[in-house]
Amino acid sequence: QVQVVESGGGLVQPGESLKLSCATSGRASGRPFGIYAMGWYRQTPGEQREFVAHIRSSGHTDYGASVKGRFSISKNKAGNTVYLQMNSLEPEDTAVYYCYVRPVGAQENYFGRGTQVTVSS
């Protein structure tokens, strides 16, 4: 079973920074898996899940329009942990942030349970 665990959420004031972490482990279809990509979505109540960022095993990154230039995604050398550095946070960034992993050859993403980020004065 693929496991995805997020950490690092919390309450910050507008303009401040926060760093989220996400680690993946386990097995897919009963076997160790390679990682094609890992990334983040976010969601607020009553809204659709919004793409935030992802990073492929090659190191290629993509960002959602609302976070480009403020957020940065990176990964560790093993490629099984990703980080989301969030700078210049705004109240509109308040959401539950979900990390996901796309194993190599998989047709679906595996999501974690999410971590709450609240930006408020």
Side-chain angles (χ1 to χ4, degrees):
Q1 183 175 353
V2 176
Q3 297 178 342
V4 181
V5 180
E6 306 99 333
S7 62
L11 171 64
V12 297
Q13 295 189 348
E16 293 185 340
S17 299
L18 198 62
K19 187 173 184 177
L20 305 182
S21 299
C22 172
T24 187
S25 61
R27 304 170 80 86
S29 301
R31 296 178 295 181
F33 61 93
I35 297 171
Y36 172 70
M38 291 184 69
W40 297 87
Y41 279 79
R42 67 186 183 185
Q43 189 169 24
T44 54
E47 300 291 330
Q48 287 191 334
R49 197 169 283 189
E50 177 190 10
F51 171 73
V52 176
H54 75 193
I55 183 166
R56 298 179 188 170
S57 57
S58 64
H60 177 82
T61 59
D62 286 301
Y63 296 92
S66 61
V67 307
K68 193 174 292 185
R70 299 187 298 122
F71 291 12
S72 177
I73 190 169
S74 60
K75 60 186 175 77
N76 66 348
K77 283 188 176 181
N80 58 3
T81 300
V82 294
Y83 309 96
L84 186 68
Q85 177 67 45
M86 305 184 293
N87 299 325
S88 302
L89 283 161
E90 305 166 350
E92 292 73 23
D93 296 314
T94 296
V96 177
Y97 284 69
Y98 296 92
C99 177
Y100 73 89
V101 60
R102 173 67 71 93
V104 173
Q107 301 301 310
E108 61 179 329
N109 296 327
Y110 294 85
F111 284 88
R113 293 188 174 186
T115 185
Q116 176 70 48
V117 172
T118 302
V119 185
S120 175
S121 55

